[in-house]
Amino acid sequence: MQSWWPLLLTLVIQAMVAMALLTLPVMAPVVAQTLQVSPALVGLYVSVTYAGAMVATLMGGATVARMGAIRVSQWGLVLCAVGLVLCAVPWLPAMVLGAVFIGLGYGPITPASSHLLARTTPPAQMSLVFSIKQTGVPLGSMLAGAIVPPLALLIDWQWSMGVVAALCLLCAGVSQGMRAELDSDRQAEARIRWGSLIKPIRMVLAHRALFTMAACSFMFSMVQLSLTTYLVTFLHDDLSYGLVAAGLALSVTQLGGIGGRVVWGYVADRWLGARRMLLLLASMMALGALASVFLTTETPHGVVIAILVGFGASAIGWNGVYLAEVARRAPPGMASMATGGTLAFTFLGVVLGPPLFGALSGLFGTYRAGFVGLVLMASISGTVLYFSQRSR
């Protein structure tokens, strides 16, 4: 099989689970109106989703070893589809359960793809290849922002959930044709134990380089998911954008993230190295969040889009460089376990970030307060990377 097939397949799978996760947030104002609750509660949805993802990603290394990366990815797509169907039920307990299923499906996708790409990618191209694969996250989010809001207005938000669920199942079915070859290294006799939840964390804590990446990803993920979760609601409520216009603005922000992931991966491989690249991105995140604080209803549309593209390029574009560095620093053959361990910290940031953003915004009566919090998080992560680089 040609070497680009694993990259293409993992890219598509990553895009589908990302689209599944963002389907409800991009319709938050409409869904909240149906349930007669505050749109700010979407932060709790994201927290529940990533709490499930955090557990699933810790099991990623063990399940990939036993079942194979493609089979684990297929199960992830199926769980996301089930979660979307449950979220289509206009009852909060069903939606909470749906968020858990989506998280359990989303969590093991990245460890599975890291395992597959780590053994098929030349070391000199790791940052670029991992960055291209990780463009699946903003690509899926861009599709959610561009397709789901108009679809919700056309056929109802509940049926829109069903359409995305069907696409996830279709992707799982198509990947079956490549499963035998790409999962040829699986170990059917490997056992999955509850101790598998702790082993990746121990690995991260035992390796300073992995722990530094995990700590920074914790703060970066707070910035990233707060931006993607609340951007539509921020533009709709604070800047008086229509739902479709706000969704398209989210898509443009994700487009900046897609371009950023490829460019940052190339620059990291050729010139700066992973840590200096991540330090630069932390600075860009802080500036993007600060600029967002000063946006008003009078700000020209072109200026808003320009700021969001730059903000998205950094806040959404860091993951590929980070994951390539984790795979590079992992013990031989342990890329999926190291990825799962560091992603537990990443997902913890996601669990805490959006609710804190929502709490700050609710406390001060404006989403600008939440963006001030993001300036602080990006600045702290940049400081950690700076002193880590100095110590090296």
Side-chain angles (χ1 to χ4, degrees), residues 367-387:
Y367 290 103
R368 294 181 180 85
F371 284 107
V372 172
L374 300 189
V375 174
L376 179 62
M377 286 296 100
S379 300
I380 292 173
S381 60
T383 302
V384 170
L385 285 164
Y386 175 76
F387 284 105

Side-chain angles (χ1 to χ4, degrees), residues 56-73 108 111-116 119 179 182-193 196 199 333-337:
T57 196
L58 288 173
M59 298 295 292
T63 53
V64 166
R66 179 181 175 86
M67 301 168 61
I70 298 302
R71 180 64 83 215
V72 168
S73 299
S113 61
S114 291
H115 171 85
L116 194 58
R119 67 184 180 90
R179 195 250 169 167
L182 294 180
D183 282 353
S184 59
D185 66 329
R186 69 188 183 96
Q187 305 163 22
E189 71 283 358
R191 301 184 65 180
I192 301 174
R193 300 183 177 91
S196 301
K199 193 173 180 180
M334 305 293 285
S336 62
M337 185 170 293

Side-chain angles (χ1 to χ4, degrees), residues 6-376:
L7 174 59
L8 178 60
L9 182 59
T10 53
L11 171 64
V12 172
I13 292 172
Q14 190 77 65
M16 285 312 309
V17 296
M19 184 179 182
L21 193 148
L22 264 295
T23 293
L24 190 146
V26 299
M27 299 188 294
V30 174
V31 177
Q33 186 177 15
T34 301
L35 299 178
Q36 297 184 339
V37 297
S38 170
L41 287 178
V42 71
L44 293 178
Y45 160 85
V46 173
S47 292
V48 172
T49 301
Y50 276 92
M54 187 164 56
V55 174
T57 196
L58 288 173
M59 298 295 292
T63 53
V64 166
R66 179 181 175 86
M67 301 168 61
I70 298 302
R71 180 64 83 215
V72 168
S73 299
Q74 288 175 311
W75 273 111
L77 289 162
V78 171
L79 288 171
C80 284
V82 172
L84 286 166
V85 172
L86 287 170
C87 285
V89 179
W91 185 45
L92 283 177
M95 289 186 162
V96 170
L97 184 59
V100 172
F101 271 89
I102 291 173
L104 292 175
Y106 186 89
I109 298 298
T110 301
S113 61
S114 291
H115 171 85
L116 194 58
L117 294 178
R119 67 184 180 90
T120 59
T121 304
Q125 299 175 358
M126 291 277 273
S127 290
L128 178 59
V129 169
F130 274 70
S131 293
I132 292 174
K133 193 279 296 184
Q134 282 302 114
T135 61
V137 176
L139 176 60
S141 302
M142 184 178 72
L143 291 172
I147 295 173
V148 174
L151 195 62
L153 296 176
L154 182 66
I155 63 171
D156 187 73
W157 65 269
Q158 292 163 292
W159 282 106
S160 300
M161 295 271 192
V163 170
V164 180
L167 290 174
C168 287
L169 294 177
L170 177 63
C171 183
V174 169
S175 62
Q176 178 62 28
M178 289 169 272
R179 195 250 169 167
E181 184 171 350
L182 294 180
D183 282 353
S184 59
D185 66 329
R186 69 188 183 96
Q187 305 163 22
E189 71 283 358
R191 301 184 65 180
I192 301 174
R193 300 183 177 91
W194 284 109
S196 301
L197 288 170
I198 304 300
K199 193 173 180 180
I201 298 295
R202 287 177 176 170
M203 177 186 291
V204 170
L205 296 179
H207 292 77
R208 184 176 179 181
L210 292 178
F211 181 69
T212 300
M213 289 297 100
C216 291
S217 75
F218 168 78
M219 290 175 275
F220 282 175
S221 64
M222 295 180 78
V223 178
Q224 178 181 344
L225 264 293
S226 295
L227 173 64
T228 56
T229 299
Y230 282 101
L231 180 59
V232 169
T233 307
F234 165 64
L235 294 175
H236 184 270
D237 291 357
D238 281 19
L239 302 189
S240 301
Y241 277 53
L243 184 62
V244 173
L248 289 175
L250 173 62
S251 296
V252 171
T253 306
Q254 300 293 345
L255 188 61
I258 292 173
R261 290 190 184 204
V262 177
V263 172
W264 310 145
Y266 182 79
V267 171
D269 277 339
R270 291 294 300 272
W271 295 297
L272 292 183
R275 298 201 181 206
R276 281 195 285 268
M277 187 72 254
L278 291 171
L279 174 58
L280 175 61
L281 293 178
S283 304
M284 292 177 62
M285 287 182 215
L287 291 174
L290 184 62
S292 300
V293 172
F294 295 100
L295 296 178
T296 69
T297 54
E298 304 299 322
T299 305
H301 184 71
V303 174
V304 174
I305 294 300
I307 290 173
L308 292 179
V309 169
F311 196 0
S314 56
I316 302 170
W318 59 276
N319 307 70
V321 176
Y322 146 72
L323 288 171
E325 181 70 0
V326 169
R328 197 179 285 118
R329 299 289 179 178
M334 305 293 285
S336 62
M337 185 170 293
T339 301
T342 55
L343 280 177
F345 290 86
T346 309
F347 291 160
L348 180 61
V350 176
V351 169
L352 298 177
L356 289 175
F357 186 100
L360 278 173
S361 302
L363 180 64
F364 290 94
T366 173
Y367 290 103
R368 294 181 180 85
F371 284 107
V372 172
L374 300 189
V375 174
L376 179 62

